[in-house]
């Protein structure tokens, strides 16, 4: 396996899904990102089945429930459960604790005094973490071979893990 470090993962060229009618106002905050906009969470769910996004930013409307439902759906979806979701409450209609209970990775209250640099930093962190996960996953999948792969599950065989896992844990510590 090739060692994967934070230095090998970039957050440049972010692909962000922005969900909510007020989301277009964020375009100026992320000028170097590839932005995809969806006015409603139902359309966003369809978009999430396409090419992968680095993160989703939700800007709930007066009724935040469909946005929270999408958050819960993402956490229950085996292909999307790890997607970072940042919620920006521009209407003052959402309880921060409720957002986190539904699976949000981060939460901001939008206001004229909101620090946009904090928002940019939060997204950069979430994107780098997400890309690191993808890089690790790619390396793990590439290392699977018939002699190391369980025929029934497609995962590593127990004997392989028993042999290499202690080494990996020792290196990580």
């Amino acid at each position: 396996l090739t060692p994967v470090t934070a230095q090998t993962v970039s957050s440049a060229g972010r692909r962000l899904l922005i969900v909510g009618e007020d989301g277009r106002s964020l375009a100026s905050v992320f000028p170097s990102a590839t932005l995809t906009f969806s006015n409603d969470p139902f359309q966003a769910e369809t978009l999430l089945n396409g090419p992968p996004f680095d993160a989703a930013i939700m800007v709930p409307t007066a009724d935040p429930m469909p946005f929270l439902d999408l958050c819960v759906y993402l956490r229950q979806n085996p292909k999307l459960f790890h997607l970072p979701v940042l919620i920006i409450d521009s209407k003052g209609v959402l309880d921060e604790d409720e957002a986190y209970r539904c699976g949000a990775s981060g939460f901001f209250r939008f206001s004229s005094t909101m620090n946009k640099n904090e928002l940019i930093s939060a997204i950069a962190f979430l994107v780098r973490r997400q890309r690191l996960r993808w890089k690790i996953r790619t390396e793990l999948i590439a290392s699977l071979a018939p002699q190391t792969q369980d025929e029934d599950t497609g995962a590593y065989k127990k004997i392989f893990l028993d042999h290499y896992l202690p080494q990996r844990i020792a290196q990580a510590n």
Side-chain angles (χ1 to χ4, degrees), residues 17-85:
L17 174 63
I18 301 180
V19 185
E21 294 170 5
D22 294 339
R24 293 196 184 275
S25 64
L26 296 173
S28 63
V29 178
F30 304 105
S32 63
T34 301
L35 305 176
T36 301
F37 295 96
S38 171
N39 284 341
D40 68 86
F42 304 107
Q43 179 192 24
E45 186 177 336
T46 303
L47 292 170
L48 287 164
N49 291 319
F53 290 96
D54 291 311
I57 301 173
M58 295 191 200
V59 187
T61 58
D63 179 14
M65 285 315 297
F67 295 85
L68 295 176
D69 289 344
L70 178 59
C71 225
V72 170
Y73 165 78
L74 291 172
R75 297 300 171 239
Q76 293 174 346
N77 184 316
K79 292 184 179 181
L80 299 170
F81 74 93
H82 52 77
L83 180 72
V85 176

Side-chain angles (χ1 to χ4, degrees), residues 93-105:
V93 296
L94 196 52
D95 176 55
E96 185 173 354
D97 292 338
E98 181 68 13
Y100 283 117
R101 273 193 297 277
C102 290
S105 308

Side-chain angles (χ1 to χ4, degrees), residues 69-135:
D69 289 344
L70 178 59
C71 225
V72 170
Y73 165 78
L74 291 172
R75 297 300 171 239
Q76 293 174 346
N77 184 316
K79 292 184 179 181
L80 299 170
F81 74 93
H82 52 77
L83 180 72
V85 176
L86 187 70
I87 294 181
I88 301 174
D89 183 12
S90 65
K91 305 281 189 204
V93 296
L94 196 52
D95 176 55
E96 185 173 354
D97 292 338
E98 181 68 13
Y100 283 117
R101 273 193 297 277
C102 290
S105 308
F107 183 90
F108 280 84
R109 288 225 187 270
F110 187 83
S111 69
S112 58
T113 60
M114 182 177 83
N115 187 336
K116 291 184 177 33
N117 288 329
E118 285 183 26
L119 178 60
I120 292 167
S121 294
I123 286 294
F125 170 77
L126 292 171
V127 167
R128 285 181 65 86
R129 188 176 73 182
Q130 178 70 352
R131 289 187 175 181
L132 184 59
R133 286 179 181 147
W134 286 344
K135 183 84 172 157

